[in-house]
């Protein structure tokens, strides 16, 4: 049997660390069915944003946005996270004792199964598709199975859907135990409603002095599991029911291997207010199908009957991933949450510079004229990775222009608790000039960063009210050498980092700062040169957190691996990436950026002949597959043609994918052309341009050869595999649900008109419809052997002129 689980995180966002997920499955109209699309049509197409459509019963108005009587008010909003999963259960077969994973119950028929739970007690019930276990004052209750199960090599899984409240009791708990034949000897999970602690226990005499305790999280500990494997018992938790975290492990107790066991889901309290716990999906194996955000909550009526058919999209449409990025050095600084940040990259006609930190009340940097003469030209110079920056050119040390801003009360308030960390890029050939200064509103407190007059080393001068100005000079090289340098000054630790090298000297830490000066102070010691990317951090951030910005500004991270670059780009959108496969080449710099995070990530995926798509579950939201994941594919599952039970199976042979001439280039490299003359002679030229972020010309040639070798003359292939998955045996159904982009499917027993009786196909994407006692999957596929590579002396992958393609 199967079961669909639809959960919405009302009131949360994609960046919420522990969203509260609400199960709305009972309101899903499975007669109309859930529709999901995922992946691409073929291997040469970019993976498009996935979508999910879910029809809902809205007869009580709970899904009407803005309706005050909705139990979800005011959080029926667009942009809330949603996930869809399918549960499968292992049917009970054979004779007792049965493996515990065969104890499966979805509690959806509103009656307690006398077969599964014959010894239940204390007024337990099924309510709303869940097992409800009351905690009556001074008593206990529980679901209890017969003693006909074994844990050896098996597992007990359940979703803890609702935990009880303390309710004024001196003791209140709910639990899930595997009981031995000896009273009080048992394994289980126990939640203490008074302390909010979830504990993994192996009890003897109702006690475990080594229990592992966790502060309960309704998100991280939503799913609980006890599993035995190879002589070890594992206690595991999960937020999805699909991926698990081990919280405790111990040697399998002797009674587990020698006895039949019983399961008891129980609750009790000593007094106070009667409450209950709720459990669901006992024995389920969960299969994530979709994770994304709700785009709309439309409400429709047919007469007085109301429905809501919601449309959801995956993370490839999330605002942060499609917003335009600034330069890489700006994005890296923003990741570290500066309190004030002036990139100083304004255009040449600017007369002031703006803050990008988002801190309220920070004013813009405006030009201050000292004496007469001198210039301050925006965009006249080059800062890190060639970013435009202003050039300060005074006529004398006291005549020229500099910048000043009021940083506002929020900056001053933060400075009461945290000392300043300052960062900037600069270049000059003149010593004894001021890079930056900070003062209090009355200027009685000062902090001035400059280059020492004698050595050109970094100097900081500080002054407290009523005290003299105190200078501290660090042992840096002469920085007035005309070269571009990166500076991090950590006032709290007395550290200075120049171009990634750290120097330490104790110094005074002023507070109450508010007014910022850049390129001069009090109309004197005017800067002669360039300054850019001025950032101030008034929070707990270390020097080591900020020094990597030097590498960003100096190299744009040219030469880092494609997997590292993908993770970097994803971080700019507030996301993380899981990699699959192992071949990730070095890539060129993307220092300028300027387009959306998604576009830049797709550039990397295209450069690597890899795949970028979203996860089907919470956790790591993006997946980046390397090309070698597909080398010499092995089928993850095999289907008989006769078992598909659908129409629409497709064999295709055309020139849709043909590429026999590739012109390829890279930034700062050669433009090269790779062709298959035999294909051109036979079919005419089928050209394609490749602009790749490779780090060498040879890598570009390899990529072009790889494309031409595979697609100069594409043979017939299976492009569509529709299947009625629900009718399959459980093991096959689970394998189909696990299939995703790049999964290989084997086919046997093909019709006599086919090229051969067997075929292998690689999944590129799919559409599915989850209905009432139906689950139709329609896989978009490509020819799996397209990605075979040469293995020396291998009987399959070393056939001359057939499977001797060199791996790229």
């Amino acid at each position: 049997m199967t079961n669909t689980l639809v959960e919405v995180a009302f009131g949360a966002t994609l960046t919420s660390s522990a969203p509260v997920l609400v199960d709305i499955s009972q309101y899903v109209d499975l007669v109309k069915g859930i529709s999901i699309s995922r992946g691409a049509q073929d291997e040469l197409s970019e993976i498009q944003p996935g979508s999910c459509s879910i029809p809902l019963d809205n007869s009580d108005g709970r899904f009407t946005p803005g309706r005050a009587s909705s139990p979800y008010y005011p959080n029926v909003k667009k942009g809330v996270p949603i996930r869809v999963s399918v549960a499968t259960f292992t049917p009970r077969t054979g004779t007792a004792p049965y493996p515990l994973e065969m104890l499966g119950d979805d509690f959806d028929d509103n009656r307690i199964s006398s077969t599964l739970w014959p010894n239940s007690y204390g007024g337990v019930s099924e309510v709303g598709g869940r097992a409800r276990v009351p905690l009556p004052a001074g008593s206990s209750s529980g679901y209890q199975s017969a003693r006909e199960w074994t844990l050896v090599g098996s597992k007990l899984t359940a979703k803890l859907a609702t935990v009880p409240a303390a309710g004024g009791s001196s003791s209140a708990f709910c639990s899930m135990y595997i009981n031995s034949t000896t009273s009080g000897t048992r394994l289980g999970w126990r939640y203490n409603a008074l302390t909010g602690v979830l504990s993994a226990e192996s009890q003897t005499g109702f006690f475990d002095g080594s229990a592992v305790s966790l502060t309960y999280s309704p998100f991280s500990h939503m799913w609980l599991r006890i599993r035995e494997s190879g002589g070890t018992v594992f206690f595991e938790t999960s937020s999805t029911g699909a991926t698990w975290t081990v919280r405790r492990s111990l040697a399998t107790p002797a009674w587990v291997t020698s006895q039949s066991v019983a399961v008891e889901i129980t609750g009790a309290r000593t007094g106070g207010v009667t409450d209950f716990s709720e459990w669901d999906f006992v024995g389920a194996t969960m299969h994530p199908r979709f994770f994304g955000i709700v785009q709309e909550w439309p409400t429709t009526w047919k007469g007085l009957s109301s429905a809501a058919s919601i449309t959801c999209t995956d993370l490839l449409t999330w605002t942060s991933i499609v917003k335009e990025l600034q330069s890489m050095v700006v994005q890296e600084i923003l990741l570290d949450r500066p309190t004030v940040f002036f990139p100083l990259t304004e255009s040449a006609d600017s007369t002031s510079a703006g803050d990008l930190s988002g801190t309220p009340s920070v004013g813009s940097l405006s030009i201050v004229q000292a004496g007469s003469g001198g210039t301050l030209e925006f965009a006249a110079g080059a800062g890190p990775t060639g970013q435009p920056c202003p050039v300060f050119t005074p006529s004398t040390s006291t005549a020229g222009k500099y910048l000043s801003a009021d940083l506002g009360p929020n900056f001053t308030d933060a400075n009461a608790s945290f000392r300043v960390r300052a960062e900037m890029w600069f270049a000059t050939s003149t010593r004894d000039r001021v890079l930056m200064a900070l003062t209090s509103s009355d200027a009685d407190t000062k902090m001035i960063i400059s280059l020492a007059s004698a050595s050109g080393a970094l100097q900081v001068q500080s002054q407290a009210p009523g005290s003299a100005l105190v200078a501290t000079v660090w042992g840096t090289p002469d920085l007035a050498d005309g070269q571009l340098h990166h500076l991090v000054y950590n006032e709290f630790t007395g550290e200075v980092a120049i171009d990634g090298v750290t120097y330490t000297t104790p110094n005074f830490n002023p507070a109450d700062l508010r007014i910022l000066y850049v390129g001069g102070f009090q109309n004197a010691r005017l800067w002669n040169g360039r300054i850019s990317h001025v950032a101030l951090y008034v929070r707990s951030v270390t020097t080591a957190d900020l020094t990597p910005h030097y590498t960003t500004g100096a190299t744009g991270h040219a030469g880092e691996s494609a997997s590292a670059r993908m993770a970097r780009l994803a971080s700019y959108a507030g996301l993380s990436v899981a990699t699959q496969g192992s071949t990730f080449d070095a890539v060129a710099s993307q220092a300028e950026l300027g387009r959306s995070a998604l576009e830049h990530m797709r550039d990397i995926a295209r450069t690597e002949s890899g795949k970028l798509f979203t996860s089907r579950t919470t956790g790591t939201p993006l997946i980046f597959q390397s090309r070698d994941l597909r080398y010499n594919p092995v089928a993850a599952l095999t289907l008989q043609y006769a078992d598909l039970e659908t129409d629409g199976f497709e064999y295709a042979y055309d020139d849709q994918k043909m590429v026999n001439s590739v012109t390829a280039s890279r930034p700062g490299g050669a433009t090269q052309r790779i062709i298959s003359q035999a294909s051109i002679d036979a079919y005419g030229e089928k050209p394609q341009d490749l602009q790749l972020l490779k780090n060498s010309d040879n890598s570009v040639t390899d990529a072009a050869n790889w494309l031409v070798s595979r697609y100069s003359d594409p043979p017939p292939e299976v492009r569509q595999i529709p299947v009625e998955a629900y009718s399959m045996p459980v093991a096959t159904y689970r394998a189909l649900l696990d299939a995703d982009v790049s999964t290989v499917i084997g086919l046997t027993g093909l019709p006599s008109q086919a090229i051969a009786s067997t075929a292998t196909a690689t999944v590129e994407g799919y559409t599915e419809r989850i209905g009432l006692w139906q689950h139709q999957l329609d896989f978009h596929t490509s020819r799996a052997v397209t990605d075979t590579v040469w293995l020396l002396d291998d009987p399959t992958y070393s056939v001359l002129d057939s499977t001797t393609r060199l791996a790229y």
Side-chain angles (χ1 to χ4, degrees):
M1 56 182 171
T2 61
N3 196 297
T4 303
L5 175 62
V6 178
E7 299 165 293
V8 179
F10 291 107
T13 67
L14 284 175
T15 57
S16 299
S17 59
V20 176
L21 289 155
V22 178
D23 182 354
I24 64 168
S25 306
Q26 62 182 308
Y27 304 102
V28 176
D29 186 348
L30 288 178
V31 174
K32 294 181 179 178
I34 300 172
S35 298
I36 297 173
S37 68
R38 178 171 175 80
Q41 285 293 322
D42 59 59
E43 73 273 33
L44 295 181
S45 301
E46 283 186 338
I47 291 176
Q48 298 303 310
S51 65
C52 177
S53 177
I54 306 174
L56 299 171
D57 176 6
N58 191 40
S59 56
D60 62 357
R62 64 180 51 234
F63 301 116
T64 302
R67 190 171 186 268
S69 60
S70 165
Y72 317 128
Y73 178 84
N75 295 316
V76 181
K77 297 179 178 179
K78 57 184 178 293
V80 296
I82 186 170
R83 70 185 186 191
V84 179
S85 305
V86 166
T88 60
F89 297 85
T90 303
R92 182 160 61 171
T93 57
T95 58
Y98 307 102
L100 256 179
E101 65 190 81
M102 293 183 179
L103 175 56
D105 199 342
D106 60 10
F107 306 104
D108 277 354
D109 57 4
N110 291 319
R111 61 181 180 84
I112 299 173
S113 169
S114 58
T115 301
L116 294 176
W117 312 105
N119 302 319
S120 298
Y121 59 95
V124 297
S125 60
E126 288 190 10
V127 179
R130 295 174 178 174
R132 178 168 293 184
V133 181
L135 277 69
S139 183
S140 63
S141 61
Y143 276 73
Q144 192 176 77
S145 75
R147 187 173 297 282
E148 57 182 0
W149 308 96
T150 179
L151 178 60
V152 176
S154 193
K155 58 194 175 185
L156 173 65
T157 306
K159 179 186 179 185
L160 179 52
T162 305
V163 296
S169 178
S170 61
S171 173
F173 67 88
C174 65
S175 58
M176 178 178 72
Y177 283 113
I178 298 171
N179 294 334
S180 76
T181 57
T182 302
S183 179
T185 298
R186 54 190 184 174
L187 299 168
W189 284 101
R190 182 177 187 269
Y191 172 73
N192 187 325
L194 273 67
T195 62
V197 169
L198 178 71
S199 54
E201 301 180 348
S202 175
Q203 293 185 354
T204 300
F206 299 101
F207 177 74
D208 179 7
S210 301
V212 173
S213 297
L214 308 168
T215 300
Y216 173 71
S217 162
F219 178 74
S220 300
H221 308 142
M222 180 182 297
W223 293 83
L224 305 176
R225 186 165 77 176
I226 303 170
R227 177 172 59 92
E228 199 282 337
S229 178
T232 302
V233 171
F234 300 92
F235 295 79
E236 299 165 310
T237 67
S238 174
S239 61
T240 63
T243 55
W244 296 86
T245 301
V246 175
R247 303 296 185 176
R248 183 186 183 184
S249 61
L250 50 85
T252 302
W255 62 266
V256 170
T257 61
S258 63
Q259 300 176 11
S260 293
V261 299
V263 172
E264 185 175 19
I265 299 174
T266 184
R269 67 169 66 248
T270 56
V273 180
T274 297
D275 198 359
F276 57 84
S277 64
E278 289 182 319
W279 301 76
D280 204 352
F281 293 104
V282 169
T285 298
M286 301 304 298
H287 307 269
R289 305 311 300 157
F290 180 83
F291 175 65
I293 53 178
V294 180
Q295 294 282 27
E296 57 177 350
W297 293 92
T299 303
T300 59
W301 284 266
K302 186 175 182 180
L304 296 178
S305 177
S306 177
S309 184
I310 61 174
T311 300
C312 317
T313 56
D314 67 19
L315 272 61
L316 292 187
T317 60
W318 191 39
T319 303
S320 293
I321 205 171
V322 297
K323 73 176 182 180
E324 183 177 293
L325 296 178
Q326 303 206 46
S327 70
M328 189 173 281
V329 67
V330 169
Q331 293 296 154
E332 290 288 329
I333 291 173
L334 289 175
L335 276 182
D336 285 309
R337 297 185 294 114
T339 312
V340 172
F341 179 30
F342 294 100
L344 297 171
T345 53
E346 280 78 6
S347 60
D349 59 354
S350 297
T351 57
S352 60
D355 165 65
L356 295 187
S357 71
T359 301
S361 304
V362 175
S364 60
L365 278 169
S366 301
I367 294 176
V368 178
Q369 176 71 56
S372 61
T375 61
L376 196 168
E377 299 174 278
F378 282 96
T385 63
Q387 294 292 298
C389 73
V391 175
F392 299 74
T393 309
S395 55
T396 68
S397 64
T398 57
K401 297 179 179 180
Y402 60 106
L403 299 167
S404 178
D406 183 343
L407 303 184
N410 293 288
F411 183 91
T412 302
D413 291 346
N415 192 211
S417 302
F418 297 97
R419 302 286 71 78
V420 171
R421 285 79 160 164
E423 175 182 15
M424 67 197 74
W425 290 78
F426 66 90
T428 187
S429 298
T430 308
R431 298 175 180 175
D432 196 25
R433 300 296 174 94
V434 171
L435 266 167
M436 186 200 84
L438 280 166
T439 74
S440 57
S441 296
D442 58 10
D444 284 348
T445 304
K446 303 181 182 68
M447 187 268 284
I448 307 163
I449 301 176
S450 63
L451 302 186
S453 58
S455 63
L458 201 284
Q459 172 180 268
V460 175
Q461 296 167 289
S462 301
Q463 184 175 22
S467 301
L469 194 66
V470 177
T472 303
V473 179
W474 277 259
T476 70
D478 184 353
L479 303 176
D481 58 1
Q483 302 301 307
L484 189 65
H485 294 289
H486 177 246
L487 162 68
V488 173
Y489 169 52
N490 189 329
E491 189 180 44
F492 178 67
T493 59
E495 292 174 320
V496 162
I498 300 294
D499 300 340
V501 179
T502 301
Y503 308 83
T504 305
T505 299
N507 69 318
F508 171 67
N509 298 161
D512 197 31
L513 301 176
R514 176 163 173 164
I515 309 301
L516 170 67
Y517 303 90
V518 175
F521 181 60
Q522 293 182 338
N523 296 337
R525 299 163 67 192
L526 303 181
W527 187 258
N528 185 12
R530 293 169 281 162
I531 301 175
S532 73
H533 296 84
V534 177
L536 303 175
Y537 306 81
V538 191
R539 66 177 190 84
S540 181
V541 60
T542 68
T543 304
D545 291 332
L546 304 180
T547 50
H549 298 171
Y550 168 66
T551 301
T552 305
T555 70
H557 296 286
E560 71 178 346
S561 70
S563 57
R565 178 64 56 77
M566 192 68 82
R568 186 180 303 281
L569 293 169
S571 71
Y572 301 157
L575 301 174
S576 56
V577 179
T579 56
Q580 297 176 353
S582 58
T583 300
F584 297 102
D585 290 351
V587 293
S589 170
Q590 293 174 290
E592 297 298 320
L593 297 178
R595 295 178 294 141
S596 73
L598 178 58
E599 289 178 283
H600 289 296
M601 285 190 282
R602 281 177 166 165
D603 286 344
I604 297 298
R606 191 180 308 114
T607 293
E608 287 297 283
S609 296
K611 301 293 179 184
L612 174 70
F613 54 100
T614 64
S615 172
R616 292 184 291 198
T617 185
T618 49
T620 304
L622 298 177
I623 298 171
F624 179 35
Q625 292 180 342
S626 67
R627 59 185 177 273
D628 72 300
L629 189 73
R630 296 186 172 211
Y631 289 171
N632 300 340
V634 177
L637 71 153
T638 300
L639 301 174
Q640 280 277 347
Y641 174 78
D643 292 337
L644 300 182
E645 296 189 5
T646 58
D647 297 324
F649 180 84
E650 178 184 341
Y651 236 120
Y653 179 56
D654 51 37
D655 64 355
Q656 176 181 313
K657 300 179 182 179
M658 185 176 290
V659 179
N660 54 28
S661 174
V662 173
T663 302
S665 60
R666 69 181 181 93
T671 298
Q672 306 172 75
R673 182 169 176 256
I674 302 297
I675 65 171
S676 168
Q677 192 61 52
S679 176
I680 293 173
D681 291 344
Y683 306 109
E685 187 169 358
K686 304 290 184 180
Q688 182 170 323
D689 290 335
L690 285 182
Q691 296 178 348
L692 305 176
L693 294 170
K694 293 292 187 183
N695 222 33
S696 71
D697 291 336
N698 285 341
S699 293
V700 173
T701 303
D702 290 342
N705 273 314
W706 177 247
L707 186 61
V708 170
S709 69
R710 293 186 299 157
Y711 296 107
S712 60
D713 192 4
E717 65 178 357
V718 175
R719 291 192 185 157
Q720 211 74 20
I721 304 177
V723 56
E724 175 46 73
Y726 181 78
S727 63
M728 296 288 186
V730 171
T732 305
Y733 186 22
R734 287 173 173 169
L736 285 166
L737 293 177
D738 290 342
D740 203 353
V741 175
S742 298
T743 296
V744 177
I745 298 176
L747 297 165
T748 61
L750 295 180
S752 60
Q753 300 88 347
I755 297 172
S757 62
T758 63
T760 54
T762 300
V763 175
E764 305 299 342
Y766 59 80
T767 59
E768 68 180 309
R769 181 184 179 278
I770 306 169
L772 194 62
W773 312 115
Q774 287 183 319
H775 195 155
Q776 297 172 347
L777 283 161
D778 192 353
F779 292 106
H780 312 309
T781 60
S782 63
R783 183 173 175 265
V785 293
T786 296
D787 293 296
T788 57
V789 298
W790 189 2
L791 287 180
L792 192 62
D793 295 330
D794 186 277
T796 302
Y797 301 117
S798 188
V799 180
L800 191 63
D801 292 330
S802 176
T803 60
T804 51
R805 182 191 297 121
L806 293 176
Y808 151 56

